[in-house]
Amino acid sequence: MTALSKVHELAGPFAAVPVLPRRLPASYLPPWWHSFVSASAPFTVSRPYPRTVKESHGSGRSGDAETAWRISAVETLERLANYTVQREFPVSDAASLPTAIDLDTVPRCSARELADPRCRLTLPDRHQPIRWAEGVRVATGEKVHLPAVMTRLGLPPMPGERFWAQISTGVAAGGSWESALASGICEVVERDMIAVTWHQRLRLPRVDPGVLTPEGARLVEWCDRKFVRVHVFDATSEIGVPTVYCVQEAPHDPVAQRIVSAATHVDLPRAVEHAIGEGMSIRTAVHNGAQKKPEDRGAIIKGAVEIGAPEMAHALDFLLGGHGPRPPRPVTAPPSALLEDDAARLRHLVERCERAGHEVYAVDLTTPELRSIGLHVAGAVIPGLQPLAFNPHAQYRGHPRLYRLPELLGHPVRTEDDLNPHPQPFA
């Protein structure tokens, strides 16, 4: 049995981990889809680092209702694993720890951001004591130590750890360690291009509609019937793993006129299908968020609500403003092994990153409870890539990646003065 088929043994309304699945309203989704969100009960962690977690969320969609809620439950368990610390982390300054990663490679805010009290972040300091999580450099298998705040959620930060805003990027669950880590790497690669595309306002080439899978074409047709136009752009970076940036434009929607989504996959058609589906789910979230007072909206949805408003439609004109499509790049199908073999897919992703000069690190977040149902949770950390951040005053604008990548892809490079002033619309 797969981990997905056994998730009810661990998570559910009356299971060991209380997780309540809820079906999303179908107003903005195709009728053959089932979409669920799941939330854990609030919980308190007493040790080793006392803290209270309000709740943990996950989402899932499928043509089968049972599968959809199970996917949402797995994502909730993945988030819970990201909060879990099974023993105290060692404390040391980076200069005294030979296996510590180089903090000079870690993304950082610019001097201008750091001068703003709303930033709340500092520069990483190799002489400040911080907590370290054990991990590996995936390409070589060598043991390394990573800043614990870059591998977990909800850790009360020590003074020297305030260089990083804790986020779940790179954490993924799967039926094998290789599958989980491959998904985590894809997420880090995807978020890198989401961030750089927005900040630098990259005019990306469009994806040839001929690459659509049958399901992708079905989704686009459904959107057309609902007066929603789907624009899909090729956001593949120099790493070479297919990445797409999707804008869904609904001129008659007074709340979410333009929304964005993205996806990364070793197979471009699957990335396109996934990005379109994600965008359709985000529309529901934006409508829900718009009903709340601005101060009650979560940080992740705030930008999407603001950019979705009709008066902010111009913020996406750098992609949709009549420039016309540029010639799409040739598309070749990946070897079948990358789709069928988790280990082969992981090797391919790591090789691509390392060849582009980006070291890939990993931490194992699998708890004994998750292992009992065959579920693995991995955290991927790639310091060379640009993080996705939701605090508009702490966007890591001092990271060299933000200014090097556009040139690598043949785009003009904007200075910090000319970066996108609008909030990040991805949610």
Side-chain angles (χ1 to χ4, degrees):
M1 298 178 70
T2 65
L4 193 63
S5 67
K6 298 175 69 176
V7 70
H8 65 279
E9 297 178 12
L10 187 60
F14 307 106
V17 180
V19 171
L20 182 65
R22 176 173 58 87
R23 188 189 296 267
L24 284 177
S27 307
Y28 310 103
L29 300 172
W32 64 89
W33 259 14
H34 300 274
S35 188
F36 281 80
V37 293
S38 291
S40 69
F43 61 94
T44 298
V45 179
S46 58
R47 55 185 182 183
Y49 306 109
R51 60 203 190 278
T52 299
V53 179
K54 291 183 178 180
E55 56 188 19
S56 183
H57 291 91
S59 62
R61 65 177 186 275
S62 173
D64 173 69
E66 182 78 6
T67 301
W69 89 256
R70 287 176 182 274
I71 293 172
S72 72
V74 165
E75 188 166 290
T76 303
L77 292 173
E78 168 199 306
R79 295 286 187 270
L80 290 173
N82 204 181
Y83 282 102
T84 302
V85 179
Q86 300 188 51
R87 61 181 180 273
E88 287 191 31
F89 297 115
V91 177
S92 172
D93 59 272
S96 303
L97 187 63
T99 53
I101 68 166
D102 184 358
L103 291 187
D104 289 341
T105 67
V106 172
R108 73 241 1 260
C109 291
S110 67
R112 182 179 302 175
E113 288 179 301
L114 294 168
D116 188 330
R118 296 169 296 181
C119 173
R120 300 195 297 273
L121 297 184
T122 60
L123 288 175
D125 184 346
R126 61 193 307 268
H127 298 290
Q128 279 267 15
I130 65 173
R131 291 165 293 189
W132 296 91
E134 188 175 306
V136 296
R137 181 176 175 186
V138 185
T140 63
E142 66 183 296
K143 177 182 173 181
V144 298
H145 281 90
L146 301 144
V149 290
M150 296 181 72
T151 70
R152 298 298 197 281
L153 289 175
L155 283 181
M158 295 174 60
E161 295 174 333
R162 298 184 185 277
F163 61 86
W164 191 256
Q166 295 170 52
I167 192 170
S168 65
T169 295
V171 176
S176 68
W177 164 256
E178 293 83 3
S179 171
L181 183 52
S183 295
I185 292 171
C186 282
E187 184 171 76
V188 180
V189 171
E190 169 204 303
R191 302 298 164 85
D192 171 59
M193 278 305 300
I194 292 170
V196 177
T197 293
W198 185 252
H199 288 309
Q200 289 281 352
R201 286 176 278 190
L202 301 183
R203 293 172 54 179
L204 302 173
R206 291 180 183 262
V207 171
D208 187 341
V211 309
L212 287 171
T213 62
E215 177 64 13
R218 189 182 185 196
L219 293 176
V220 170
E221 182 184 359
W222 185 86
C223 287
D224 284 342
R225 292 202 305 270
K226 299 295 181 179
F227 305 102
V228 177
R229 188 177 179 191
V230 178
H231 307 266
V232 184
F233 300 90
D234 185 350
T236 304
S237 72
E238 90 287 12
I239 294 171
V241 181
T243 300
V244 299
Y245 192 95
C246 177
V247 179
Q248 295 187 20
E249 186 178 24
H252 304 294
D253 188 334
V255 174
Q257 190 167 109
R258 288 178 174 179
I259 57 174
V260 306
S261 57
T264 295
H265 196 283
V266 294
D267 181 40
L268 177 62
R270 295 195 192 190
V272 172
E273 179 186 322
H274 184 69
I276 295 171
E278 282 290 302
M280 295 167 77
S281 297
I282 289 171
R283 185 173 299 279
T284 299
V286 171
H287 274 263
N288 290 340
Q291 295 174 17
K292 299 178 180 179
K293 296 178 181 178
E295 60 270 22
D296 294 334
R297 293 172 189 154
I300 294 176
I301 199 66
K302 278 184 178 180
V305 172
E306 182 171 334
I307 301 302
E311 63 269 21
M312 289 298 295
H314 64 88
L316 281 156
D317 281 352
F318 70 92
L319 281 173
L320 306 181
H323 304 301
R326 291 186 287 158
R329 72 176 71 202
V331 177
T332 56
S336 59
L338 296 187
L339 304 177
E340 300 165 3
D341 186 326
D342 295 340
R345 185 164 63 256
L346 176 59
R347 284 194 301 272
H348 172 77
L349 292 168
V350 174
E351 287 170 2
R352 284 283 189 175
C353 290
E354 293 272 346
R355 194 179 305 159
H358 305 296
E359 296 181 356
V360 180
Y361 303 102
V363 292
D364 189 351
L365 302 177
T366 311
T367 64
E369 296 81 9
L370 297 181
R371 192 171 282 108
S372 72
I373 63 168
L375 192 65
H376 298 260
V377 178
V381 178
I382 311 177
L385 301 189
Q386 185 71 24
L388 176 67
F390 295 101
N391 177 354
H393 311 289
Q395 293 289 311
Y396 303 98
R397 290 183 168 187
H399 194 21
R401 173 70 170 179
L402 184 54
Y403 308 97
R404 290 176 182 164
L405 181 58
E407 185 175 8
L408 289 174
L409 300 180
H411 295 273
V413 180
R414 298 176 185 270
T415 64
E416 184 176 3
D417 288 337
D418 196 30
L419 294 178
N420 201 327
H422 302 302
Q424 172 61 248
F426 182 83

